[in-house]
Amino acid sequence: FGIATDENFVITTTNRKEVTEDNFRELVQDGVTLYLLQSVDQTLLSATKERIDFLPHYDTLVKSGMYEYYASEGQNPLPFALAELIDNSLSATSRNTGIRSIQIKLLFDDSHGKPAVAVIDNGRGMTSKQLNNWAVYRLSKFTRQGDFESDHSGYVRPLPVPRSLNSDISYFGVGGKQAVFFVGQSARMISKPADSQDVHELVLSKEDF
């Protein structure tokens, strides 16, 4: 790596957790992406890529039909799909101490790419591992643990109140990935954790699958 004998360095995960003798077995596993840095908070000089491998839940095959989620109760499916996307922002901004901003944009300008639905918020952001978890099909936001916790960590399911901003829109029963691929052919999530300088990006596309 071209490191001088008198030069200090650290090895971290993409979540900026330093690898030490004590946590080596926990953090360094097959397929994990690591950073070799001069310090834990060093600014990255270029974008990095982390490959995510996961085995889809069996429900991907057993319950993959869109009809079950969107049409079984005779409902108009589009509002349910949009509600799933907004639910992520409601949860992310639920602890904001200041202004809680959630924007929904419909983009139709072909000069900037294909038409898209964009949901933008000023929430606490997600780490690389939390984005990883979001990518896993049918992994509940209420059951993720440890370093692989979801963006809803510490979230307590509120009592049901009609039309409240309680981040429980998922009550409708459809998942974020299904909502994305009902509306379009690909998903791009860009997130910066509030306590980090890193910006993480996740891209899922029907073409890649």
Side-chain angles (χ1 to χ4, degrees):
F1 296 106
I3 302 173
T5 56
D6 60 345
E7 187 174 5
N8 294 325
F9 66 89
V10 295
I11 298 174
T12 78
T13 65
T14 57
N15 213 22
R16 298 292 184 132
K17 288 192 174 182
E18 182 176 356
V19 177
T20 65
E21 183 177 0
D22 294 332
N23 63 21
F24 180 86
R25 292 184 180 277
E26 174 190 352
L27 297 181
V28 180
Q29 302 176 13
D30 289 344
V32 70
T33 302
L34 299 173
Y35 290 156
L36 180 62
L37 305 172
Q38 293 175 323
S39 64
V40 173
D41 58 354
Q42 177 183 337
T43 300
L44 300 181
L45 300 179
S46 61
T48 63
K49 287 187 177 181
E50 179 178 15
R51 181 175 179 83
I52 297 175
D53 292 307
F54 62 89
L55 181 65
H57 192 279
Y58 63 85
D59 276 353
T60 304
L61 300 176
V62 177
K63 298 181 179 180
S64 60
M66 287 297 151
Y67 182 86
E68 174 187 352
Y69 295 97
Y70 297 111
S72 59
E73 296 181 5
Q75 302 289 338
N76 180 1
L78 185 57
F80 287 82
L82 291 177
E84 280 292 334
L85 302 181
I86 297 168
D87 181 61
N88 289 331
S89 291
L90 288 175
S91 178
T93 59
S94 62
R95 300 181 186 175
N96 284 18
T97 56
I99 295 175
R100 190 179 186 187
S101 173
I102 300 176
Q103 301 179 51
I104 306 171
K105 296 184 178 182
L106 304 180
L107 310 175
F108 299 105
D109 188 347
D110 291 340
S111 65
H112 291 79
K114 297 180 179 179
V117 176
V119 182
I120 306 168
D121 65 64
N122 65 339
R124 60 185 179 274
M126 286 188 283
T127 66
S128 60
K129 295 306 178 187
Q130 290 166 343
L131 274 178
N132 182 326
N133 276 338
W134 188 88
V136 179
Y137 185 63
R138 297 185 71 81
L139 179 60
S140 170
K141 70 181 179 183
F142 300 109
T143 59
R144 297 161 178 159
Q145 302 293 331
D147 186 42
F148 292 88
E149 67 188 7
S150 76
D151 55 312
H152 303 267
S153 57
Y155 172 75
V156 178
R157 184 187 291 271
L159 295 174
V161 180
R163 298 183 181 179
S164 67
L165 299 183
N166 62 12
S167 178
D168 212 14
I169 291 181
S170 287
Y171 156 80
F172 288 123
V174 294
K177 275 72 66 181
Q178 292 150 302
V180 164
F181 290 111
F182 175 80
V183 176
Q185 303 296 311
S186 64
R188 180 184 300 269
M189 295 186 68
I190 303 173
S191 187
K192 177 187 176 299
D195 57 353
S196 171
Q197 61 184 339
D198 296 336
V199 176
H200 304 292
E201 180 178 14
L202 169 69
V203 178
L204 299 174
S205 75
K206 187 175 181 180
E207 181 179 351
D208 288 341
F209 283 142

